[in-house]
Amino acid sequence: MKKQHVTIHDIARELSVSASTVSRALQNHPRISESTRSAVQKMADRYNYQPNVVATSLRSGKSKTVGVIVPRINRNFFSSVIGGLEESLAASGYHLMICQTHERYDNEAAAIRTLINARVDAIMLSISMETKNKEHIQELMDKGIRLFFFDRALEDIETGSVVVDDELGAYLNVSHLLEQGYRKIVHVAGADHINIYSARKKGYLKAMSDGGIDVHADWIIQRPLIVSGGESAFHRGMKLPAKPDAFFCAGDYAALGVLQAAKIAGLNVPEDLGITGFANEPFTEFLEPTLTTVDQKGEEMGKMVARMFLDCEEGIHGADGCENVVLQPELIIRNSSLLTR
Amino acid sequence: MKKQHVTIHDIARELSVSASTVSRALQNHPRISESTRSAVQKMADRYNYQPNVVATSLRSGKSKTVGVIVPRINRNFFSSVIGGLEESLAASGYHLMICQTHERYDNEAAAIRTLINARVDAIMLSISMETKNKEHIQELMDKGIRLFFFDRALEDIETGSVVVDDELGAYLNVSHLLEQGYRKIVHVAGADHINIYSARKKGYLKAMSDGGIDVHADWIIQRPLIVSGGESAFHRGMKLPAKPDAFFCAGDYAALGVLQAAKIAGLNVPEDLGITGFANEPFTEFLEPTLTTVDQKGEEMGKMVARMFLDCEEGIHGADGCENVVLQPELIIRNSSLLTR
DNA sequence: TTGAAAGCGCTAACAG
DNA sequence: CTGTTAGCGCTTTCAA
């Protein structure tokens, strides 16, 4: 009972014309008579003809599909980016093929392989924590598949990217703490080889230096940016000779860990201890106190990458797909760092 | 400088054999000599041959791709489901093509169209709020493309589905409130035509009835399940002749709205007012007090749908792709409803 | 303005 | 065991 897919040949046969005529009519080719054009159109509608994009892809070598590789889909920031990407690309008839790396290099390499095989027109990549080299990316370049980085990029690869200015975000964040009167500000840092975390550290150092504060090496505590990492960092920090009066965490979950540990230790936030995070995870606005953090503009980032790709796909002048866009992050000031009201 | 994609013909030419021999060698066809097999394999490795899946799809009529349609990617529950789906399907060599409806029927119909054109092997669908009819689905059935519902399903469509037992979840939730001594429990309900919301209401009614409590019609307050909906429901509820002592909300955001409004009104939660939600959004465990809610097993759901599809794809006995799996939800008891400790 | 034919890369039936 | 051939559905010369 299942009607098979209708092809241009079915329509051609029905109208006693050739398949090429149908093809031309359907794409409004200039050299086709209006009468046949409308006849074909009518028949196509009647049979509810849907072109087989697989065939079109094979013929044209373009799949109208874009591959997206993220550490995890189920992370607010990444799903926001994907949401933005999808919205923009769908409007131009592109599809999304999605892979997760779970922060593993092997998965990332496999995903790239997979997406090459699927003949995607471009790959949007946010590299995994484990990724340190770029061998797996070389092949993309060789095959002429466009690559765009978002959020987490590898250095010295000449390709398009959209990131937020993590250094600025951290700078604004820490400057705000200084403005509030905090002085001994500890930084809970992420892994150094990831560009975003080293940038956040840089922003922290710059703000402190601009504020005339000497940062001891042990004020920077590197931990996994999860709740337990934050807790651990809190306890480590509280053992320092000069007790910190604030924690700037490179991630919101770590900030949450610090907050919880601080409460258990009987400290009042923000009076006894200021705490700020980074990422603007949805939960941060519901904490008590609400958490000061930095918004990374996920959806905007997705839309921007999409735009970049579409621009060079459509041959917009000047678009070579190698721009490096830096979005302005937004400091969201909330109660966890607000002394002066 | 870009190396083109290597095809079996390139390898065939290099080895002076035919393309079909290469094809057979590569898929370990039984009737092929070991010597040519290994020679082909070696050459394929050397050239880093990657089969063109587009060509394979065209030939076989199967794309090894599954379409996923959700209201929004950027919603914790849905991205969890997608995460689970991706993990299971990737392991079997399937890809995911993702569309969002933003809760609009038109977008849903367009997405289905798109995915049919892309010749996906199946579609996993969680219907939009607006969707009330099933015309757009009919075509899928006609074309023999498998359809699976997850979480939000349309009634009387004979196809596979995985949902959580929303009625049970609500029943457990409300029974727990009753056990804690709450009696006048108001239900903040969602739109009635969505199966999950009507099921939650049913569970509420059943629990109340089993608890020997008469539910007044005005104890059920239908609102959009967002923060402002919860606030509005709180104020409405508090104006009832018999003041409620608890709110069971069909969604966590609505519960958050109730919680915030209750705090502003000077009520203590859970002492003066019990509050429970539904969905186990990540923020619920960080609220003060932490929110009692129901976990919907998103990732598990994704894996289950994937399994269902893979089973009938692989022709596992008894798998016809029309099972209706109902997962057990899990009541997460937290402080917003816990009087007896 | 239209048709015939070739080919995108792969596989499978058929024939040696 | 291997080669030849045809065809998946579409587009695009080339020729009429």
Side-chain angles (χ1 to χ4, degrees), chain B residues 39 60 230 254 290:
Chain B
S60 67
T290 54

Side-chain angles (χ1 to χ4, degrees), chain A residues 1-6 48 50-55 57-58 63 65 73-77 79-80 82-84 86-87 95-100 102 113-119 139 141-145 227 253 256 260 263 282-283 285-289 299, chain B residues 1-6 48 50-55 57-58 63 65 73-77 79-80 82-84 86-87 95-100 102 113-119 139 141-145 227 253 256 260 263 282-283 285-289 299:
Chain A
M1 182 77 228
K2 58 174 72 168
K3 296 180 239 168
Q4 272 320 315
H5 291 281
V6 181
N48 190 20
Q50 299 290 124
N52 184 334
V53 298
V54 177
S57 297
L58 179 59
S63 59
T65 299
I73 296 165
N74 182 21
R75 198 89 69 72
N76 177 61
F77 172 71
S79 63
S80 298
I82 294 175
E86 198 275 343
E87 231 180 299
H95 310 308
L96 243 51
M97 207 166 255
I98 299 198
C99 304
Q100 320 187 66
H102 296 286
R113 213 22 103 67
T114 294
L115 292 173
I116 293 178
N117 292 5
R119 298 301 190 269
E139 197 179 335
M141 307 310 224
D142 290 346
K143 294 244 162 81
I145 297 176
V227 175
Y253 281 96
L256 173 60
Q260 289 179 338
K263 281 184 181 175
F283 69 80
E285 63 171 317
F286 306 129
L287 295 177
E288 293 197 9
E299 203 169 320
Chain B
M1 182 78 229
K2 58 173 72 168
K3 294 180 242 170
Q4 272 320 315
H5 290 282
V6 181
N48 191 18
Q50 299 291 123
N52 184 333
V53 299
V54 177
S57 296
L58 179 59
S63 58
T65 299
I73 295 164
N74 182 20
R75 197 89 69 71
N76 177 60
F77 172 70
S79 63
S80 299
I82 294 175
E86 199 274 344
E87 232 181 298
H95 312 307
L96 242 52
M97 208 165 254
I98 299 198
C99 305
Q100 321 186 66
H102 295 284
R113 212 25 102 67
T114 293
L115 293 173
I116 292 178
N117 292 6
R119 299 301 190 269
E139 197 179 337
M141 306 311 223
D142 290 347
K143 293 245 162 78
I145 296 175
V227 176
Y253 282 95
L256 173 60
Q260 289 179 337
K263 281 183 180 175
F283 68 81
E285 63 171 316
F286 307 129
L287 295 176
E288 297 201 4
E299 204 170 320

Side-chain angles (χ1 to χ4, degrees), chain B residues 127-145:
Chain B
I127 62 165
S128 86
M129 292 282 189
E130 266 187 25
T131 303
K132 283 163 189 161
N133 65 12
K134 49 183 187 178
E135 287 158 28
H136 60 317
I137 285 172
Q138 198 49 52
E139 197 179 337
L140 279 182
M141 306 311 223
D142 290 347
K143 293 245 162 78
I145 296 175

Side-chain angles (χ1 to χ4, degrees), chain B residues 80-114:
Chain B
S80 299
V81 177
I82 294 175
L85 265 172
E86 199 274 344
E87 232 181 298
S88 297
L89 290 178
S92 296
Y94 283 87
H95 312 307
L96 242 52
M97 208 165 254
I98 299 198
C99 305
Q100 321 186 66
T101 62
H102 295 284
E103 307 285 9
R104 301 284 318 283
Y105 174 83
D106 289 348
N107 292 339
E108 189 171 298
I112 288 179
R113 212 25 102 67
T114 293

Side-chain angles (χ1 to χ4, degrees), chain A residues 199-255:
Chain A
R200 290 175 199 177
K201 184 160 81 181
K202 228 158 130 188
Y204 159 77
L205 289 170
K206 181 155 192 305
M208 294 295 270
S209 147
D210 285 2
I213 311 230
D214 269 351
V215 173
H216 282 241
D218 51 12
W219 288 16
I220 297 177
I221 305 177
Q222 186 171 318
R223 287 288 185 282
L225 296 175
I226 55 182
V227 175
S228 61
E231 288 165 353
S232 150
F234 171 80
H235 296 302
R236 173 87 192 77
M238 284 306 166
K239 281 194 203 108
L240 290 177
K243 265 197 192 159
D245 56 13
F247 280 78
F248 160 56
C249 307
D252 283 335
Y253 281 96

